[in-house]
Amino acid sequence: MLALFLRDLRLSIRAGGGGLTGVLFFLAVVATIPFALGPDLNLLSRIGPAILWIGALLASLLGLDRLFQADREDGSLDILVMSSDRHMLALSVLIKCLAHWTASVLPLVVAAPVLGLVLNMDATSIGATTLTLLVGTPAIAFVGAAGAAVAVGLPRGGLLVSVLVLPLAIPVLIFGVSAAYAAVNEPDPFLPPFLILAALTLFLAVVGPVAAALALRYSAD
Amino acid sequence: MRLIADDLSCERGGQRVFSGVGFSLAEGAAMLVTGPNGAGKSTLLRATAGLLQPASGRVALEGGGEAFPTVAAAAHYLGHHNAMKPTLSVFENLSFWRDFCGDAPLDIDAALDKVDLRAIAHLPFGYLSTGQKRRAAIARLLVSRRPLWLLDEPTAGLDAEAERQFSALMVSHLVAGGMIVAATHHPLGIDAAVELRMDDA
């Protein structure tokens, strides 16, 4: 299992940097918004957490369609499916999600504080947003795995994956942003939305890979 | 250990590919699946590997014990694709499959020696020629032990020397009690192999 994690990590670092593409896209989204909104620093710092979350959500959807498609094209997926007696397929999917998250989404979380400065956010707000991104983005990868598995047989499934995954990722977005806001706006409690966000991630860590494994098993032909 | 297929029929896209195929294979036996293009050779192999749900009939492995409860667990599947990543080196590819599949009788250098690739093991898989890629994929069969080899056109792209080498590998796998099911258009150099001829349905 560790071998699978390391292989996927090595692949995404070596094969033209899927992580870097995501970060550049994230940067592009966040950097253009101040130009569109105009030089209102208070407005920027007020909507900063939401902008960071939307940017991270869209950027983390970018590489998702390749999660299983590359393995299918070169035949590796057949062997992963056939090995399911030794390594439960859902577990292999979970490991692939974690590798994808580490290589492509973790750089976004790391970049978020820097982009927070661009948006005139204060330290608490930056810290809270980064923390919610760290806890919430794995959930997007887990839901994304299910979407990617459904679309794995389609040659141009990229857009379909995003359309399938986006509605399911909305709750994550809602609780992520509300927790980030609650950290700054005094009367709102931070902990309840944050804990629900963590619960969402844990819940999807089970449901996503299991659904993806089912889809993969029946899409192999 | 015995591989048994009973009255197997498969469909693809709602179209019956073949029906009523049955065979039984004992340890040390090989079966060549032959027939014209589109007769269902690859489909039969995928159904045997459990990658394709047969429309009717069953495939089962008897006497696999705890180590090999299903056909898929007992099988190496070498399809049209080599299951290797172009950006990783040959050595990295093989060591991943060895770690993932487990049960390693040979180390990777020894397996590479058997297919004559040791000198270029450090190259990214994508730089190899078609025949060399196929040989690397054959080395995958050697780095973890599986009693059943399911081979789909295994010699595609191999030169005469590599074909002879591969025949020797298959014969020694059979001598060690392995089983082989191979879909092929060429004789693979296994004398004792039985032939299953698939005709257009």
Side-chain angles (χ1 to χ4, degrees), chain A residues 1 3-4 7 10-11 14-15 70-71 73-76 78-83 85-87 92 220-221, chain B residues 12 46 49 51-52 67-68 70 72-73 75 77 81-85 87-88 92 96-97 99-101 140 146:
Chain A
M1 276 294 140
L4 182 63
R7 178 192 78 145
R10 207 176 277 155
L11 277 175
R14 227 175 267 181
D71 277 341
E73 279 162 9
D74 65 22
S76 308
D78 289 338
I79 299 169
L80 296 184
V81 172
M82 279 175 71
S83 307
D85 285 303
R86 282 183 189 75
H87 308 295
S92 300
D221 65 329
Chain B
R12 283 211 142 161
R46 291 188 71 84
L51 292 167
L52 196 70
F68 305 114
T70 62
Y77 174 72
H81 303 295
N82 295 318
M84 300 274 173
K85 295 292 176 189
T87 44
L88 299 183
E92 285 170 324
F96 163 67
W97 283 122
D99 293 346
F100 188 78
C101 294
R140 176 171 64 80
R146 294 284 187 278

Side-chain angles (χ1 to χ4, degrees), chain A residues 34-215:
Chain A
F35 290 108
L37 287 179
D40 185 345
L41 287 180
N42 288 332
L43 176 67
L44 269 186
S45 65
R46 207 166 66 242
I47 62 172
I51 293 174
L52 285 183
W53 254 96
I54 291 170
L57 173 67
L58 295 179
S60 63
L61 290 179
L62 263 187
L64 267 180
D65 60 311
R66 296 298 295 166
L67 191 58
F68 302 114
Q69 217 167 37
D71 277 341
R72 182 192 168 90
E73 279 162 9
D74 65 22
S76 308
L77 190 62
D78 289 338
I79 299 169
L80 296 184
V81 172
M82 279 175 71
S83 307
S84 54
D85 285 303
R86 282 183 189 75
H87 308 295
M88 205 171 82
L89 189 55
L91 208 59
S92 300
V93 171
L94 179 72
I95 297 294
K96 281 185 76 67
C97 289
L98 291 177
H100 166 80
W101 182 81
T102 312
S104 315
V105 185
L106 193 58
L108 303 178
V109 178
V110 174
V114 183
L115 294 175
L117 290 177
V118 177
L119 295 170
N120 190 36
M121 289 159 66
D122 60 35
T124 331
S125 176
I126 287 178
T129 309
T130 310
L131 187 64
T132 53
L133 281 175
L134 186 69
V135 172
T137 44
I140 301 169
F142 298 138
V143 177
V150 168
V152 70
L154 306 171
R156 288 271 171 270
L159 186 65
L160 182 64
V161 174
S162 304
V163 170
L164 280 177
V165 170
L166 209 50
L168 299 171
I170 292 297
V172 181
L173 179 73
I174 291 174
F175 286 104
V177 174
S178 60
Y181 272 130
V184 201
N185 298 348
E186 210 31 77
D188 301 345
F190 170 72
L191 220 44
F194 184 73
L195 288 179
I196 290 180
L197 183 69
L200 269 175
T201 301
L202 291 176
F203 176 68
L204 292 173
V206 178
V207 174
V210 168
L214 271 177

Side-chain angles (χ1 to χ4, degrees), chain B residues 11 18 70 74 84 141 186:
Chain B
E11 285 179 356
F18 57 79
T70 62
M84 300 274 173
L141 307 178
H186 311 286

Side-chain angles (χ1 to χ4, degrees), chain B residues 95-167:
Chain B
S95 64
F96 163 67
W97 283 122
R98 191 185 60 153
D99 293 346
F100 188 78
C101 294
D103 200 353
L106 273 184
D107 68 12
I108 290 163
D109 284 332
L112 284 168
D113 272 338
K114 290 197 186 253
V115 293
D116 256 349
L117 282 181
R118 190 157 176 188
I120 52 170
H122 61 282
L123 281 184
F125 182 77
Y127 290 0
L128 269 54
S129 78
T130 310
Q132 287 171 328
K133 283 180 180 166
R134 206 55 176 166
R135 270 149 60 191
I138 288 167
R140 176 171 64 80
L141 307 178
L142 305 173
V143 293
S144 42
R145 199 179 65 85
R146 294 284 187 278
L148 172 63
W149 287 4
L150 300 169
L151 311 171
D152 199 348
E153 299 284 352
T155 54
L158 293 184
D159 59 23
E161 174 58 31
E163 268 186 43
R164 264 195 303 281
Q165 230 170 22
F166 182 47
S167 298

